[in-house]
Amino acid sequence: KNEVEQSPQNLTAQEGEFITINCSYSVGISALHWLQQHPGGGIVSLFMLSSGKKKHGRLIATINIQEKHSSLHITASHPRDSAVYICAVRGEYGNKLVFGAGTILRVKS
Amino acid sequence: KAGVTQTPRYLIKTRGQQVTLSCSPISGHRSVSWYQQTPGQGLQFLFEYFSETQRNKGNFPGRFSGRQFSNSRSEMNVSTLELGDSALYLCASTLGLQETQYFGPGTRLLVL
């Protein structure tokens, strides 16, 4: 079993829909990251969470440390949100990240 | 402030050769981490350096090595290249430890 599991693997949505991507992990962590990767490879860090909830524009990330679970929500989705969204957890020491397999999101207009 | 830069961006090598990839972190950042991304294995951690010291190493063979210089720039080297080393190699920098990572554009390596 992978240390970080993401669901769904693929997601197709209509423009304007509310989107949720889930991440579960099985190890102790100091933080959880949500990353976005567009075609071509560039990765952007969206959120770094160690507790609670963070919001940036139309993106919301939550984490439940007791349940070892995090969600990334996109409100009013847009075709430009189409990308791979990757959950990654960081252990208690250092900066090593362990990654989920990613969720491929396609938003259709 | 300039972002993380990686050189070269694309590279083609043949089996048995060696390769050196370079990463320049954001000015002032002292930590650099390296990752390998392949379609089959996804993103995997290679190494982490902080102030010229390797702090963590992933589960890769000894053919993969790296170092960090006093100006925080980092290099990774892969010797005796294998077909399976074809991948996107990403580096990321942070100001210190336990902080948000800023990724470079990656070096795409193709081994023939």
Side-chain angles (χ1 to χ4, degrees):
Chain A
K1 188 179 187 297
N2 292 334
E3 292 179 351
V4 182
E5 298 276 359
Q6 277 186 246
S7 63
Q9 286 185 303
N10 290 279
L11 183 56
T12 300
Q14 283 296 132
E15 183 174 358
E17 286 185 355
F18 180 84
I19 289 164
T20 296
I21 300 170
N22 295 299
C23 176
S24 296
Y25 54 93
S26 57
V27 296
I29 68 168
S30 61
L32 182 143
H33 296 249
W34 280 103
L35 310 171
Q36 180 193 57
Q37 186 172 31
H38 280 282
I43 292 179
V44 174
S45 181
L46 298 173
F47 296 103
M48 183 177 69
L49 295 162
S50 54
S51 65
K53 176 180 174 178
K54 287 191 176 181
K55 184 175 189 291
H56 185 259
R58 295 179 295 106
L59 302 177
I60 303 166
T62 64
I63 188 168
N64 184 317
I65 297 293
Q66 286 72 32
E67 294 187 4
K68 292 185 164 62
H69 181 269
S70 175
S71 293
L72 175 68
H73 305 285
I74 304 175
T75 61
S77 60
H78 189 276
R80 65 174 174 266
D81 297 326
S82 298
V84 178
Y85 291 84
I86 303 166
C87 169
V89 299
R90 189 178 67 210
E92 293 174 323
Y93 305 100
N95 282 331
K96 173 184 175 180
L97 293 180
V98 178
F99 299 88
T103 295
I104 302 171
L105 171 65
R106 181 182 171 213
V107 181
K108 298 193 288 186
S109 57
Chain B
K1 197 181 253 191
V4 178
T5 58
Q6 291 187 244
T7 57
R9 293 291 311 278
Y10 303 93
L11 204 48
I12 300 175
K13 292 284 188 179
T14 56
R15 279 181 299 173
Q17 287 187 309
Q18 75 163 18
V19 67
T20 299
L21 311 181
S22 180
C23 172
S24 292
I26 291 172
S27 177
H29 284 198
R30 295 168 64 192
S31 176
V32 172
S33 299
W34 287 90
Y35 303 94
Q36 182 198 62
Q37 186 176 35
T38 60
Q41 299 295 320
L43 276 159
Q44 294 182 280
F45 170 78
L46 280 159
F47 330 94
E48 176 202 345
Y49 289 90
F50 181 80
S51 293
E52 301 180 68
T53 301
Q54 187 180 89
R55 290 180 49 86
N56 272 304
K57 189 176 191 302
N59 295 326
F60 279 81
R63 301 184 296 107
F64 291 80
S65 62
R67 58 179 176 168
Q68 185 181 34
F69 301 96
S70 58
N71 62 358
S72 293
R73 189 177 70 86
S74 178
E75 287 181 349
M76 66 163 282
N77 185 276
V78 188
S79 63
T80 320
L81 284 165
E82 300 177 0
L83 296 179
D85 298 332
S86 295
L88 179 67
Y89 291 87
L90 292 152
C91 80
S93 75
T94 63
L95 186 60
L97 299 173
Q98 308 272 312
E99 297 190 21
T100 297
Q101 299 202 10
Y102 295 86
F103 286 81
T107 294
R108 197 167 293 277
L109 171 66
L110 176 62
V111 182
L112 301 175

